[in-house]
Amino acid sequence: MLFDPTKLLLLAGPCSLESEATCRPVAEMLTKLAKQHPELNIVFKGSFDKANRTSLNGDRGPGLQEGLALLAKMKADYGFPVVTDFHERQQAAAVGEVCDVLQIPAFLCRQTDLLLAAAATGRVVNVKKGQFLSPQEMEFVVNKLREGGAKEFWQTERGTTFGYNNLVVDMRSFAQMKALGAPAIFDATHSVQQPGAAGGKTGGRREFVPPLARAALAAGADGLFIETHPNPAKAISDGPNQIPIEEMPALIASCLAVWKAVRGA
């Protein structure tokens, strides 16, 4: 099992893998965090293809082959397990050869063939709860994974559509999703997105990441998903939501304090 209930699970990395020059500073920062906080269970994340960009003109990233090569390099050089999302069932086998965790994007969380393909790799599967789903509806997603033979799977809350260009996080979600028998993670950066609100691209309010992350842990979340970047202003995707790498140590320290307090540590 990759999930360890005695440690705070942290899935962190850039939104898009972009390049080695983007990934290495993030991995180096995470290495320092791991040494400083042995109670963290860190998984390095990054997307090889941003397939659901708002605009056709949006940069989608390095692509499958180059992206997997980057993830393999980060795994070999820094020792972290790695996770990436995929969008077509035909990609599952190749992703499973490199990644310890396969992620199902929120918009695709009910795609049966995608879920079964991920389960068939034997790797951990992390499913983002769709913005259009209630926590209770994740029961059917979880059942598909169980019936597909997934050995370990996680659920990630990333906010629910609340009117136009806005998301809201229902803190009851974590208890409801955990009741389904799988860990519940909070996606702190995508939950502050403002989808399509920035003139053909997604906007966001990163200043709300810290309070929401701490609130989620206080509500019982088992882990955090946080996108972080050396220079969010120059990120090819989700720049307004990503945390600058220099702000991560203080953010994680405050989150660990809440996590420990909830568990009586």
Side-chain angles (χ1 to χ4, degrees), residues 49-55 60 85 87 105-107 131 202:
D49 181 16
K50 305 304 298 180
N52 61 346
R53 299 306 305 273
T54 303
S55 168
R60 291 178 54 165
D85 48 314
H87 302 83
F107 286 129
Q131 300 92 321
T202 292

Side-chain angles (χ1 to χ4, degrees), residues 129 155-160 169 173-174 177 185-187 191:
K129 180 179 77 63
Q155 310 164 84
T156 296
E157 168 65 70
R158 50 96 70 240
T160 301
V169 181
S173 295
F174 303 106
M177 290 164 67
I185 300 163
F186 176 50
D187 182 342
S191 290

Side-chain angles (χ1 to χ4, degrees), residues 15 117 133 146 164-165 174 224 263:
C15 179
L133 288 185
R146 284 199 177 106
Y164 296 123
N165 308 125
F174 303 106
L224 296 172
R263 285 157 178 75

Side-chain angles (χ1 to χ4, degrees), residues 10-17 26 29-30 45-47 50 83 85 103 128 158 186-193 206 209 224-230 232 235 237-245 248 251-252:
L10 175 62
L11 282 65
C15 179
S16 169
L17 289 164
V26 175
M29 176 273 295
L30 292 174
K45 69 82 47 185
S47 297
K50 305 304 298 180
V83 55
D85 48 314
Q103 185 165 282
K128 293 282 192 76
R158 50 96 70 240
F186 176 50
D187 182 342
T189 42
H190 286 102
S191 290
V192 301
Q193 277 185 338
R206 78 164 60 87
V209 169
L224 296 172
F225 178 107
I226 299 177
E227 291 186 335
T228 179
H229 193 281
S237 59
D238 277 349
N241 316 313
Q242 297 195 68
I243 301 298
I245 56 174
M248 282 289 286
L251 171 58
I252 297 304

